[in-house]
Amino acid sequence: MARLAFGGDYNPEQWPESVWHEDVRLMREAGVTTVSVGIFSWALLEPAPGAYEFGWLDRVIDLLHENGIDVDLGTPTVAPPKWFYDQRPDALPVTADGARLGFGSRGAICHSNQAYRDASTRITEQLARRYGKHPAVVMWHVHNEYGVPVSACYCDGCAAHFRRWLAATYETVEAVNEVWGTAFWGQRYASLDEIDPPRTTPTVGNPAQQLDYKRFADATMRENFVRERDVLHRLAPGIPVTTNFMTALSQCDSVDYWAWGREVDVVTNDHYLITDGRRTHVNLAMAADLTRSVAGGDPWLLLEHSTSGVNWQARNPAKAPGQMARNSLGHVARGSEGAMFFQWRQSRRGAEKFHSSMVPHAGTDSRVWREVCELGSAIGQLGGIEGTRTVADVAMLWDWQSWWAQNLEWRPTEDHDARERADSFYEALYDRHLTVDFAHPEADLSAYPLVVVPALYLATEAASLNLREYVENGGTLVVSYFSGIVDEHDAVHPGAYPGAFRDVLGLTVEEWSPLLAGESVGLSGPDGSRVTGDVWTEFVVPRGAEPVWTYEDGLTAGRPAITRHAYGAGTAWYVSTRLGASDLDTVLASALADAGVGDRPELPRDVEVLTRAGATGRYVFVINHTPDEAKVPLADPGVDVLSGDRVSGRVCVPAGAVRVVRVEA
Ligand code: GLA
Ligand code: ZN
């Protein structure tokens, strides 16, 4: 993008044309640069099969262009019209229980359905031909949030498509029988043609089959994205193509964004605060870091977040004054090339009429509108940072496929939650003011002094080798329990746990022993330090590693609980129980010392300091989430980008405010 983007989803079809003129006037007042248009407009663009009505969209796009506003143009393939389903009811998805979902919401799509594929190709071709040369169109927005609300369909068409996927992946039924372990419970197949999707079964279904079905469903959605993308590339060359991700929201855990990141021209993300009582800005930081990582560290764009409350959680509080700007600029600090919202004007009708927007029901004499205008002006002043990259300190391994496998049924305890471990490790690093890159387990890790591995249940041979090499070459690794247990088919690595990581960790685990609800165990460590674990304990047998903390009670009393292994030029730590935040911090402090990563004791809790650097300079973002003024030391003097004031020594950031300093170094 040529400039930082500020704007949101614009749905003019919900309003009479007279409102459009007020819309663009207000957009200019707010400093809007970019809007996403047409995401759900198929039924209006093609009201009857093959009969197109582009006039209204022509007028909208021209009006925006006349007012200097760029368009991120949707392909409306998430919302096929009713006539389409009446012709092809088989395009409606079927649940694992065999229920066919109905029309009247959105995203009711069987991604294997050929009629859906053909119809969505045709509407995409029409849009590409008509608008591919329009100077307002700066990006294509394919579909909407693949993976929600439906991530997999279990219809007969999908069954046939799954068989083709299995044939392409494994070639023979023997290979499928082998990797799925169908010898267990008598599930052996004589031919690929016998295989169905993992529909609802009397008790636990084959885990490897379920895992493969998740891969298949993800790949099937990706086929559809790639097909539309290729149409757009062919008919409208030069315009980048994206689709909006939801990287760190557990509402959307069915998409392997590492694979998708390679297919889009620009990574874009949607993020909403999860108001479940936890610190929302930490989840936001994690989502933004993960999105940047999926983009390979390149700039990305926050395509949707909210000006205030959403309307789809159990409780939807408004944002506090200043919180929207902190959220938006928090994403920018972590690599977003701007900040966009769902949606421009709050709907009067429909399912999302209580979701906040840039122009609220309360109108322009409102706090939300005033803050929107202030933010638009701030983002305008940040021009120059485009293309700079966020500087990270450490890495965390992250793998959607491992998460899928981990979440299958009949695990040693239902209290262990891989996502909870990732959140907790992230929060501990966040509280140490470390900027985190996420990395795929097989990615090059050599740039990072420290890599943490929270509950990576599934690890391939390649990941195992990767971590050995990383530590051998001087890296510091911290691995939490229930990691490196199975291969890509959910088969236990041969020998003692944790098969993929026992060499690098210098230990084996004879047996694990999850704790009962409410139970905990004490651990004693160096200089009398004590920490507490819950949920999980293990019988760890050191094979080169030294015990650093030891279980004091429970079945594992007297055995090593947290170990350190000097391996090659590096060090690998293992944490065999679940530690709470402050105890995790104690252990991370030791690992960070091994890694030579210094403390930042001068920074208060909940004050973020991030750096974006590149050809146009070095920008330090200070985001103060606290109710007190924060004074943050600056290594080099600079200029406050938003006020133009010179700053040296330290920057003072009022309660709840954000400062961006362009430093001279
Ligand atoms: C998602 C969707 C939007 C809207 C918002 C707010 O991000 O992409 O269409 O539904 O959520 O709920
Ligand atoms: Zn289907």
Side-chain angles (χ1 to χ4, degrees), residues 49 196 208-209 274 280 312 317 323 330 378 404 410 432 484 560 585 593 609 617:
D196 288 328
Q209 180 188 8
I274 299 304
T280 54
W312 43 266
Q323 191 178 5
W404 298 342
W410 286 8
R432 289 194 154 259
D585 182 73
V609 180

Side-chain angles (χ1 to χ4, degrees), residues 86-334:
D86 287 345
Q87 285 182 348
R88 295 305 303 255
D90 59 327
L92 289 164
V94 172
T95 66
D97 292 337
R100 200 174 279 285
L101 301 178
F103 179 84
S105 171
R106 66 167 167 186
I109 291 159
C110 164
H111 280 279
S112 299
N113 188 276
Q114 194 57 44
Y116 167 74
R117 292 179 167 206
D118 294 344
S120 53
T121 299
R122 282 194 299 273
I123 186 73
T124 301
E125 285 170 350
Q126 291 287 333
L127 287 161
R129 289 210 172 89
R130 190 163 189 102
Y131 300 108
K133 292 204 170 59
H134 198 296
V137 177
V138 297
M139 187 158 71
W140 292 106
H141 179 304
V142 169
H143 204 84
N144 193 64
E145 291 179 343
Y146 284 96
V148 283
V150 175
S151 58
C153 170
Y154 296 79
C155 75
D156 291 342
C158 282
H161 193 30
F162 184 43
R163 290 173 203 129
R164 290 193 293 273
W165 183 88
L166 289 170
T169 307
Y170 298 109
E171 288 179 21
T172 64
V173 72
E174 289 75 23
V176 175
N177 279 316
E178 171 70 21
V179 298
W180 286 7
T182 57
F184 189 78
W185 281 358
Q187 294 167 2
R188 192 175 175 75
Y189 297 101
S191 140
L192 289 177
D193 297 334
E194 293 179 357
I195 299 179
D196 288 328
R199 296 184 173 125
T200 305
T201 42
T203 181
V204 176
N206 184 302
Q209 180 188 8
Q210 295 188 63
L211 183 55
D212 267 348
Y213 205 69
K214 286 180 179 292
R215 293 189 176 114
F216 155 77
D218 176 54
T220 301
M221 291 189 286
R222 208 157 53 240
E223 283 170 5
N224 281 343
F225 169 75
V226 166
R227 186 179 36 73
E228 287 193 39
R229 180 203 64 195
D230 290 350
V231 167
L232 296 165
H233 280 171
R234 179 164 50 81
L235 298 178
I239 302 176
V241 180
T242 193
T243 182
N244 45 345
F245 295 169
M246 296 178 85
T247 52
L249 286 183
S250 40
Q251 285 83 350
C252 186
D253 61 355
S254 56
V255 177
D256 181 351
Y257 288 118
W258 291 125
W260 285 75
R262 293 191 289 271
E263 301 295 352
V264 295
D265 296 330
V266 190
V267 166
T268 58
N269 197 49
D270 298 347
H271 183 263
Y272 293 95
L273 300 182
I274 299 304
T275 47
D276 62 1
R278 288 184 291 168
R279 294 150 79 205
T280 54
H281 52 282
V282 180
N283 175 270
L284 182 152
M286 183 169 169
D289 284 346
L290 184 54
T291 308
R292 179 185 66 253
S293 304
V294 162
D298 288 340
W300 54 279
L301 178 61
L302 176 71
L303 209 52
E304 287 181 33
H305 69 319
S306 68
T307 58
S308 193
V310 301
N311 76 330
W312 43 266
Q313 297 183 44
R315 294 160 199 89
N316 302 292
K319 288 190 180 176
Q323 191 178 5
M324 177 186 74
R326 287 202 301 284
N327 291 167
S328 296
L329 296 174
H331 285 286
V332 174
R334 293 174 194 272

